[in-house]
Amino acid sequence: MRWTRSLIPTLREDPADAEAVSHKLMVRAGLVRQLAAGIYVYLPLGQRVLDKINAIIREEMNRIGGQEVTLPVLQPAEIWQQSGRWQVIGDEMFRLKDRNARDMCLGMTHEEVIAWIAAKELRSYRDLPQIWYQIQTKERDEARPRSGVLRTREFLMKDSYTLDLDEAGLAKAYDAHKEAYCRIFDRCGLRYHVVESDPGMMGGSGSHEFMAPSAAGEDEVALCERCGYAANVELARGVPTRPKFPAWPVEEVATPNARTIAEVAALLKIEPALMIKSLLYVAKDGPVLALVRGDQTLHEKKLARILGEFRPAHPDEVKTHLGAPVGSVGPVKVRIPIVADESLREGVYVAGGNKEGFHLKGVRPGKDFSPRFADLHVAQTGEGCAQCGAALKVERVIEVGNIFKLGTKYSVSLGAVVLDESGQERPIVMGSYGIGPARIAAAAVEQRHDADGIVWPWSIAPFHVHLLSVNAKDPVQTGVAEELYEELATAGIEVIYDDRDERPGVKFKDADLIGLPIRVTVGNAFVKEGLVEVRSRRDRTDRRVPKREAVVSVKELAQELGGR
Ligand code: ATP
Ligand code: MG
């Protein structure tokens, strides 16, 4: 492709609103443009990256027996009402009415449609197993679209669904997906962890997420290097180190003007780990006091697994239920249910005294109050692994894919049943599996860039070779570049030829920014010695070769860089 015939609108400056590296670089390299919050245009180079990723995904899905389908984005409300998700899902779903005032929605995922087809088309255990997949647009009114294409309101997803007669079949389909996903992310050149995750609103019995380490990620995972334990922090259990507990007797201490853990700890000259953080929530059955250690953060998802839906109490509710304002409340002598983090099972603490301006010192959980114990706190780096005791590492990650054992929730509600060998009706056992191609692209940019731009892995680079002549006004240089362009293209190599009449600095900068794996330069070395320069973007190493060896040299370097 010739630059002068292409749309590659590179920018020198970062977009004003961008924080994530991938956001900045994908906009600057002319891959994408934002039309509105969380709605993106993919320009030609961006489209080629997506196409490459999608091709890899297709190959790996086909390899495990996946059959490609296309399911509608526009869907009738009925199937969502049948599954119950019409009511459960809130503002994230785009809803609309058709001209006859029928409720419709834009698909944010496709379990319902799949179960609907299965109900119509599958009759017998002989029709199973099945794997159906699509690479299709999803619409979600995300609360916080951000970080460029990492979280958008319209995005491409490869979603697949497995249909099996029983749990054993599902387990096989699930494992096949897990392996296919690893191959996909390996081939896309990502570093990633496979972690246990919380099935959440999807329901079901097991799930894993594929997490690519990056500072731009919105998720965190806890990892144990010794035993391999790896879980989303929504789930991960860390065993905190035990502070040295003093032999405090119970006493009331005045803590005027000290409200936060940090303020009280400073005033009493104790470490925050010797305090109890008391948080009042209102669940369906009424108020609940939740406790974590002063140096810990409560994970709301962990609490939700115990309480179901809940919300933080308003300040006046705190006063009503505990007789003191936020900042002075604690668990002793309260009449409402208490859940406490496991780490509070033992020890002596300072807690709020339920009296404005006072705390209680010497509080012993289990003796001075009787909570229900559960894992509530967010696992932190340095805590012990719950499996082996080694130190955990908490890392920020981008979720690039996930897999769910759904079970029979959707097949039961939409009537997707088959007859088994004995003629009994059985609901189909489903699995659901998603991958975000745009997130793969952005995660690759996050993991592979330098100060000058993107460093694409071979497999998903929009093109492979960036050809340019240093002095576009020199007919010798441009003549050679034109010939090389022909030769490379004829050899089946994907090449962008920067044929602009631009200063060399501009062309070199754009080449680094766009980040194709190989740059071929025709410049002074050719004028002087008849040599062209073949350069690796990743290693920034040059080899100078006579023009007639250029294509061979490119092919050799391609092999080193992972090309086939
Ligand atoms: P998240 O927790 O990040 O919102 P999710 O759990 O909602 O993700 P799924 O519904 O399982 O994700 O979607 C499957 C895959 O689709 C994700 O792993 C991710 O790669 C991609 N994806 C999900 N939401 C978005 C989005 N808003 N923008 C871009 N890609 C997305
Ligand atoms: Mg989501």
Side-chain angles (χ1 to χ4, degrees), residues 16-35:
D17 53 338
E19 276 171 33
V21 173
S22 55
H23 185 186
K24 293 177 188 168
L25 287 177
M26 289 177 80
V27 171
R28 282 186 47 209
L31 301 175
V32 296
R33 287 294 183 264
Q34 182 177 290
L35 172 63

Side-chain angles (χ1 to χ4, degrees), residues 92 108-109 138 140 142 145 148-158 201-202 209-210 218-219 234 301 398-404 432-440:
E92 207 181 338
M108 45 188 296
T109 173
K138 299 282 185 274
R140 295 183 185 177
E142 297 274 0
V149 299
L150 280 171
R151 183 174 296 285
T152 54
R153 297 196 294 168
E154 173 170 293
F155 59 97
L156 217 50
M157 192 197 292
K158 184 291 297 174
M201 96 168 181
M202 302 290 279
E209 289 165 324
F210 295 76
E218 291 182 52
D219 283 291
E234 292 174 9
K301 288 241 171 110
I398 296 168
E399 181 202 309
V400 285
N402 58 29
I403 55 180
F404 293 97
S432 153
Y433 316 83
I435 282 186
R439 281 208 191 157
I440 294 182

Side-chain angles (χ1 to χ4, degrees), residues 275-328:
M275 294 192 56
I276 292 176
K277 195 187 278 180
S278 310
L279 303 153
L280 188 68
Y281 294 97
V282 181
K284 270 206 226 75
D285 300 332
V288 177
L289 193 63
L291 312 178
V292 291
R293 233 167 59 176
D295 60 332
Q296 297 173 340
T297 309
L298 177 133
H299 203 304
E300 297 203 337
K301 288 241 171 110
K302 289 185 171 179
L303 188 61
R305 254 172 253 128
I306 298 165
L307 299 186
E309 265 179 61
F310 67 86
R311 61 168 173 83
H314 307 306
D316 52 319
E317 289 171 315
V318 174
K319 243 188 143 158
T320 312
H321 294 297
L322 300 170
V326 181
S328 297

Side-chain angles (χ1 to χ4, degrees), residues 346-394:
E346 50 170 359
V348 192
Y349 300 89
V350 170
N354 293 328
K355 182 170 158 192
E356 183 157 11
F358 286 90
H359 276 71
L360 279 180
K361 202 171 174 181
V363 173
R364 287 168 172 77
K367 177 168 166 286
D368 298 316
F369 65 97
S370 300
R372 166 178 174 190
F373 288 103
D375 175 42
L376 291 183
H377 79 275
V378 181
Q380 300 173 44
T381 294
E383 286 188 358
C385 168
Q387 279 186 20
C388 79
L392 287 179
K393 198 169 97 197
V394 174

Side-chain angles (χ1 to χ4, degrees), residues 189-242:
L190 289 188
R191 280 185 292 114
Y192 62 96
H193 304 291
V194 186
V195 308
E196 278 176 50
S197 73
D198 176 10
M201 96 168 181
M202 302 290 279
S205 59
S207 67
H208 286 85
E209 289 165 324
F210 295 76
M211 302 296 217
S214 157
E218 291 182 52
D219 283 291
E220 283 183 331
V221 295
L223 306 163
C224 174
E225 270 166 19
R226 193 201 289 165
C227 76
Y229 175 73
N232 193 311
V233 286
E234 292 174 9
L235 212 69
R237 297 182 63 129
V239 182
T241 44
R242 204 166 157 264

